[in-house]
Amino acid sequence: MKTDKLSVFGSGALIGTLGGLIGLGGAEFRLPLLIGPFGFAVLEAVIVNKAISLIVVASALPFRMGTVPLNELAAHWSIIVNLLAGSLLGAWFGAGWAIKLKTESFYKVIAVLLAAIALLLVFGHNPANASLPPLSGALQVAAGVFAGFGIGVVASLLGVAGGELLIPTLVLLFGADIKLAGSLSLAVSLPTMLTGFTRYSTDRSFAVLGQNRDFLLMMAAGSLFGAFLGGQLLGMVPETILLPLLALILLLSAIKVWRHG
């Protein structure tokens, strides 16, 4: 794909900034751009999005160690394992489903998921501070596995880290405070994404990464820069304005992806 490197970096930076403003990686906004202006086929776009998301997540986890130290993260290993028990299976299943889906159907699935995430941004993002978990014992474990499975499926289908789903789950189901939830989310996302990535590697569309290596690296660099910039600007734009605006962008993207199919 022959694309101006500056425009690729700039697009990645813009997406990373949008995501950074709400504490996410921005992959939900990147996918419609890969499908639309950059012209990737739907499955190839998801794989490219997954690869860039992996780079962003792998880079973000060490940066958060100053906020949430490794020993504090390790102290909550049971939550990580609980969610991974479902998300790893969900990621493998979701990627396998994506490979088998007809192109037209895949566009429709992505459009519906983008619309659902737009609603989640408005009604479920940045939930209230941690409180007592509503469930405990075996019921909490079962709910964690079930939630993890769904998150793994969505993460594979969109090529995202799944933070927009993981963070509310960690806060509402496990009672984690929002800062801890952000780091736990990354700890769950990384192996989940690697599982989906491994499943995608068995399909011939995976060759898109080698064919577009420069594009991938430039977009990833822009996304990392944007995520950093968005993190610095975090809180400067009121969420009452920002979240509906970002949700509107996702809804418009969902409509375009639906029509694209």
Side-chain angles (χ1 to χ4, degrees):
M1 172 175 290
K2 296 193 178 200
T3 311
D4 177 57
K5 289 184 178 181
L6 186 59
S7 66
V8 175
F9 181 89
S11 298
L14 176 60
I15 292 162
T17 302
L18 289 176
L21 282 170
I22 52 175
L24 299 174
E28 300 79 11
F29 304 100
R30 188 189 306 117
L31 183 59
L33 203 63
L34 293 172
I35 292 173
F38 290 117
F40 285 96
V42 61
L43 182 57
E44 293 181 343
V46 169
I47 292 172
V48 170
N49 202 31
K50 176 71 78 177
I52 296 172
S53 297
L54 266 172
I55 295 172
V56 173
V57 168
S59 302
L61 191 55
F63 293 153
R64 287 188 64 91
M65 291 303 176
T67 305
V68 180
L70 183 60
N71 61 338
E72 185 177 351
L73 199 62
H76 295 83
W77 65 268
S78 60
I79 297 176
I80 297 173
V81 171
N82 190 175
L83 287 170
L84 283 176
S87 67
L88 295 180
L89 182 61
W92 187 268
F93 174 82
W97 186 29
I99 289 170
K100 295 175 183 176
L101 269 176
K102 292 182 179 179
T103 299
E104 295 79 7
S105 299
F106 203 175
Y107 281 121
K108 300 296 189 289
V109 169
I110 287 175
V112 170
L113 291 176
L114 288 176
I117 290 174
L119 295 175
L120 187 64
L121 278 179
V122 176
F123 298 108
H125 182 73
N126 199 15
N129 288 332
S131 58
L132 289 176
L135 301 173
S136 61
L139 285 177
Q140 186 185 56
V141 171
V145 172
F146 181 79
F149 180 84
I151 291 167
V153 170
V154 173
S156 275
L157 287 172
L158 294 180
V160 302
E164 67 287 339
L165 300 174
L166 277 167
I167 291 175
T169 299
L170 287 159
V171 172
L172 299 175
L173 181 59
F174 296 99
D177 68 71
I178 196 68
K179 288 184 179 180
L180 175 62
S183 292
L184 287 173
S185 170
L186 293 175
V188 174
S189 292
L190 192 55
T192 300
M193 294 174 69
L194 285 170
T195 299
F197 202 64
T198 301
R199 182 67 180 90
Y200 278 126
S201 69
T202 63
D203 188 79
R204 61 184 180 181
S205 296
F206 198 75
V208 67
L209 299 181
Q211 296 164 358
N212 297 274
R213 187 174 303 162
D214 291 344
F215 177 96
L216 175 67
L217 294 176
M218 193 60 63
M219 179 70 79
S223 296
L224 285 170
F225 173 76
F228 170 78
L229 181 61
Q232 301 306 303
L233 300 175
L234 187 64
M236 293 187 65
V237 183
E239 286 197 353
T240 52
I241 297 174
L242 180 63
L243 292 181
L245 178 61
L246 296 181
L248 178 61
I249 292 173
L250 279 180
L251 284 174
L252 292 174
S253 299
I255 292 170
K256 288 184 178 181
V257 171
W258 182 280
R259 290 176 175 173
H260 197 85

